[in-house]
Amino acid sequence: MQTTYFWIGLAVVLILIDLWIINSVWRSDNASGSKVGWTAVVVLLPFLGAAIWAIAGPRGVTKGPSSPEHSKG
């Protein structure tokens, strides 16, 4: 029973990491084709894709809205 909770917890953590990676990929400055490729790798190979992305993934992230109207709060 304890082993089952471990694997469920590990799966949840992996899903959260993959969602964070996909968000980072789509906010990057890379071309759309590159973004689709990285997304496919991370979705199809979750653990291996995350490891590959950590080594060779995009580094630049676009900035958020710069006007005061869009950054309230």
Side-chain angles (χ1 to χ4, degrees), residues 63-73:
K63 295 180 181 177
S66 60
S67 72
E69 183 177 323
H70 289 100
S71 57
K72 291 180 181 175

Side-chain angles (χ1 to χ4, degrees), residues 11 13 15 17 19-20 23-24 26 29 31 37 42 44 46 48-50 65 69:
V13 169
I15 288 170
I17 289 172
L19 289 174
W20 177 72
N23 183 36
S24 296
W26 283 95
D29 296 332
V42 171
L44 296 175
L48 185 61
E69 183 177 323

Side-chain angles (χ1 to χ4, degrees), residues 20 24 27-30 38 51-62:
W20 177 72
S24 296
R27 291 185 58 210
S28 72
D29 296 332
N30 290 355
W38 276 112
I52 293 170
W53 181 84
I55 295 169
R59 298 291 181 233
V61 175
T62 58

